[in-house]
Structures are given as structure tokens and as C-alpha cells.
Amino acid sequence: MRDVRSPSRALPHRHGQGGTGKTTVAAALALALAADGHTTLLVETEGRQGIAQLFDTPPLPYEERRVAVARGGGEVKALAIDLDEALLEYLELFYSMKRAGRALRKMGAIDFATTIAPGLRDVLLTGKVKEAVTRRVDGKRVYDAVVVDAPPTGRITRFLNVTDEVAGLARSGPIKTQSDGVMAVLRSPQTKVHLVTLLEEMPVQETADAIAELEATGLPVGSVLVNMATEPLLPASSLARAADGRLTAAELAPALAAGGLPADPAIAAGLVEEAVEHARRWRSQDALRGRVAELGRPTTELPLLTGPVDLGALHELADRLEVLR
């Protein structure tokens, strides 16, 4: 939970086996960067149409379309990259082979090519992102920022490090030129790779591993975005007692009576069980906050949304992410 941001930043992000909310965070970041009259492009690379679902729009075609208006009149456009169409564009641009490319597509040759040469897939995807980042009209950049909802943390370094990926495909020619141009953008000061995590053991460890890999390849790491963070439901003293197993059903009886509820021992025991579970989960999450801090990266926490993830919820998260502007 990654993104690529344009003239001033980029962010490929995400991590985990799913469930970290990277697409939601990417959408909220795009809204934050579009505030005050800016234009942001939000790019999807995994073909899941997750952006369309978040913004409640029909499935996105392979073209840039406005999906939201940000605070202050800015706008968010979205692009779901279609791998076949990206390859056809590539063949037309570098080899003037658009018609031949369409014939290859009908034969299934494109799927075959990207299967036997997986690095080609990432070159095409990141190449499209690079084109959007560097595109100009009348000397002015088209987008103030480009946010990329990139693959999971376990694959992010391989996805972004297209120079190594393309090494086995070509040592010269258009593919090599394309990958070199992509890396120039990705390693530039205008790019940041933000990572989305949860306060859970595996996601935090995967984030630490991803940061080390990104730094080793010279890719610019940005912030760690802790998603779905919860607030404690009990005072600090009660949290400690519950986590240590020192909270008793008898202690809850007065509170039940004050709330007009029957002082039923079974109800009280059930509430104690819930309180202990909550307190221990909170203690575990709080310990993981320390591990996140040890990563040495700026950190922003995003709250767990209790309702549906609609446009209003995305704006709420966007307000928290304005620190990344």
C-alpha cells in the first residue's frame, strides 16, 4: 500500500497478501494530492477494477477518466492499464506494428510473450506510468501528481526495478531505452514509494523487508502508512488491568446497573471476555507501533472505517494524508 506520484512525488505502495487496503489508501492519497485545484492521475496495474468500485463508477476502459472532484476544485482522473492495449501501444510507438500487434493478440501471442518473459509485463506497466508522469501540453505537465496502486509489498521491488527485469530481454534497443527512461523517473527526487501496512506481525515484517530491498536497489522510500488503526475503548488503567487478566465480572456490576441493565453474571462475564480480548489486541498493536517507528520512516496512521468505503470515507482519509503533499 504503492503509488507513483509525478512532478513532485510518486508512490508505488501496498503490501501483504491482500486486506491492507492499499487501493483505498491510493485513492485517498490521489484525492489529497488533487486538493486546491491540482490534477492527479490514479493508476491501477493489477486489472481488478478496484478503483472503479471505490468511486462507484462503471469498469474503467483503457483511457484516463475523471472519477472525483477534490477539495478546492481539483480533480482525480483514473486509468486501469490493460496489458494487451499497452503492448499494442508499445508496438505502434517503437515498431509501427499496431496492425500486426492486433493479429498477434487474436492468436494469443501477447499472453504467450508476457508469460515467457514476465519482465516485459512490468516494463509495459511502468512505461505507461512514466509516460503519464512526463507528459506535457504547451510546455506544462498534464498531471501535478501520479499515484500508482502497485502490486503487493512482496513484489514491489521487482515491479519497480525494471532495469534488472529487462536485463534478460534486451541489452539494447527500444525495450532497454524504455526501461532506462522508467528508472530515471523512479529514482528521481519526484518519486516516493509509500508502503501501506497494518499493525499486525506479518504486514509489519513485510514492510521492513520491502524497505530494505527498495533501499538496496536505490529506489526512494517515502512514508509508512498504517491503515485501519483502532482507538482504545477503555481508559489506560482499565486497559492494563484487562490485558493482565485482572478485570473481574464483579467490577462490572455497578456499571451495568448504572446503564439500566440487569447485573446478570453471564452478561458481566461476557463483557469481561470482550474487554480482555480488546485490551490484549491493543497492547499487541501498540508494541507493533514501536517496530514501525524503528523503520525510521515518516508514519501516518489512518483510522479503521466503521461504515462503507464511499467517497465521503475517502475524503476523510484524504484529510489525514495531506501531510504527504
Side-chain angles (χ1 to χ4, degrees):
M1 33 213 268
R2 306 160 188 102
D3 112 271
V4 160
R5 163 170 186 174
S6 159
S8 20
R9 274 162 241 171
L11 153 140
H13 70 257
R14 140 115 181 179
H15 93 261
Q17 298 302 311
T20 60
K22 75 178 182 68
T23 300
T24 299
V25 174
L29 179 58
L31 279 169
L33 298 178
D36 300 326
H38 294 96
T39 301
T40 300
L41 178 64
L42 175 60
V43 180
E44 182 173 67
T45 62
E46 296 181 276
R48 296 182 296 106
Q49 288 292 339
I51 292 173
Q53 294 175 38
L54 277 175
F55 288 100
D56 194 24
T57 67
L60 295 169
Y62 184 53
E63 62 182 49
E64 294 155 23
R65 288 195 173 181
R66 188 173 77 171
V67 292
V69 176
R71 176 180 56 77
E75 65 176 11
V76 175
K77 291 187 176 182
L79 171 66
I81 298 180
D82 180 282
L83 193 59
D84 287 354
E85 293 296 335
L87 182 51
L88 292 176
E89 277 189 357
Y90 180 85
L91 292 174
E92 169 67 11
L93 180 63
F94 291 107
Y95 298 102
S96 300
M97 287 179 59
K98 191 168 187 178
R99 287 186 178 179
R102 294 196 180 280
L104 290 171
R105 181 178 183 177
K106 290 180 180 179
M107 295 167 53
I110 291 177
D111 288 340
F112 177 74
T114 54
T115 299
I116 63 172
L120 178 60
R121 179 184 186 279
D122 292 344
V123 170
L124 292 170
L125 293 172
T126 54
K128 185 64 178 176
V129 172
K130 177 250 185 185
E131 185 278 325
V133 168
T134 57
R135 190 188 313 159
R136 292 177 179 270
V137 173
D138 297 329
K140 181 181 178 182
R141 289 188 185 272
V142 172
Y143 292 109
D144 298 294
V146 175
V147 178
V148 179
D149 179 21
T153 301
R155 210 174 79 78
I156 185 59
T157 303
R158 180 178 176 184
F159 173 73
L160 295 176
N161 194 22
V162 294
T163 298
D164 285 350
E165 287 296 291
V166 83
L169 298 176
R171 297 186 182 279
S172 62
I175 293 180
K176 181 66 165 59
T177 301
Q178 173 86 327
S179 68
D180 288 346
V182 169
M183 293 312 301
V185 170
L186 292 179
R187 288 186 171 137
S188 72
Q190 72 190 54
T191 297
K192 288 289 182 294
V193 181
H194 302 307
L195 296 155
V196 180
T197 190
L198 303 178
L199 290 175
E200 297 175 4
E201 283 284 349
M202 185 177 292
V204 170
Q205 184 58 53
E206 288 178 346
T207 299
D209 293 343
I211 289 174
E213 291 175 1
L214 289 164
E215 290 178 336
T217 55
L219 290 163
V221 180
S223 296
V224 175
L225 307 178
V226 177
N227 197 23
M228 305 183 202
T230 58
E231 296 294 330
L233 302 177
L234 298 171
S237 58
S238 298
L239 274 173
R241 286 178 57 77
D244 292 338
R246 294 183 288 116
L247 186 65
T248 66
E251 292 178 79
L252 295 184
L256 289 172
L261 299 172
D264 186 324
I267 294 177
L271 289 173
V272 167
E273 186 177 340
E274 292 281 346
V276 169
E277 182 183 349
H278 168 73
R280 289 176 176 170
R281 185 168 59 248
W282 172 259
R283 176 178 283 182
S284 174
Q285 289 185 354
D286 216 30
L288 287 168
R289 282 186 172 88
R291 287 185 56 188
V292 171
E294 290 171 0
L295 298 175
R297 295 290 165 182
T299 302
T300 299
E301 286 198 9
L302 300 172
L304 175 66
L305 300 173
T306 56
V309 182
D310 55 15
L311 189 56
L314 291 176
H315 277 285
E316 178 184 342
L317 297 177
D319 290 341
R320 303 284 187 110
L321 291 172
E322 290 209 353
V323 296
L324 300 180
R325 294 183 63 191

